[in-house]
Amino acid sequence: MEQVILRYDGDALGDHSMNLKLIAESLSGLDDLIHEVYEEMGGTEDEIDLQIKGGFQEGSFEFLMTVGQTLQDNIEILKIVGFGLPPTAGSLLTYLQWLKGRKIDKITLTEEGNCKITTEDGEVKESPSYMRPLLASASIRTAFNKVVSKPLRGGGIEVFEAIANNDARTRFNSVTTAEEKYFRSQRNPVNNVVVDKPIDDVVITFLTVHKDKDTHWRIDLDGEAITIKMEDDTFLSNFRKGKVPDIFVNAYSVMIYEKENTITMDKTYSIVKVYARE
């Protein structure tokens, strides 16, 4: 079980009142944020129990949030989000503070399996691999917008804090009005999600072909059966005219384009050139 106090402070809360719509949106954002991160980390919705207890304290408004969950490997959701003592590798909240509202140009994997985040102006930072889908998620940005950005830009609330639920009330993280723009919604947080990789002059054999469509062809590439799209119009035209009679007998040298989604790691393939047989 994890616990954290989430605190809003500012002049607008001096009379012990807070806009009901802001409270409702913040609670909705918290629920969305915690559940999405939990599921991205391998959990399921029915495994997590999120409890909120709120009230005013010395001119501020606070939520005591309790998260009960069953993730393996001692994964602590609040720390990953940024509502706990941040791990050495950083949290979602601290990565968004580093981005300062900039869009991510691309996210690639290093040889060690970490993420390499490149901003639109060329700054680079490494993160754990699990941050890849979290930083690319538009819905996570929307949730942070509800929890952090909207209350801070509404006027009269100057700071959002994540505080330990202990006598010392240790502050884990804070966001000020000057930083709220870093947590606004972004429809497409990553500019370049798909990376093209040419694979030239490789030898393949055809397993499945279609005269009526250029998709869902299957080839054998180094002993692996993969589905491809045929984008060599000349070869496709010759095949449809019956000019490639031994298509299942012969091996062919081709250029393939591999398209990899750097967030989901899904790959698609297309043949862009079938070289003439010698």
Side-chain angles (χ1 to χ4, degrees), residues 177-190:
T177 52
E179 298 173 306
E180 66 78 15
K181 58 183 175 291
Y182 307 160
F183 297 88
R184 295 184 184 182
S185 299
Q186 288 187 1
R187 183 175 296 178
N188 298 298
V190 182

Side-chain angles (χ1 to χ4, degrees), residues 205-216:
T205 55
F206 289 100
L207 302 176
T208 304
V209 297
H210 302 278
K211 282 193 173 182
D212 60 336
K213 60 184 178 181
D214 57 8
T215 57
H216 294 94

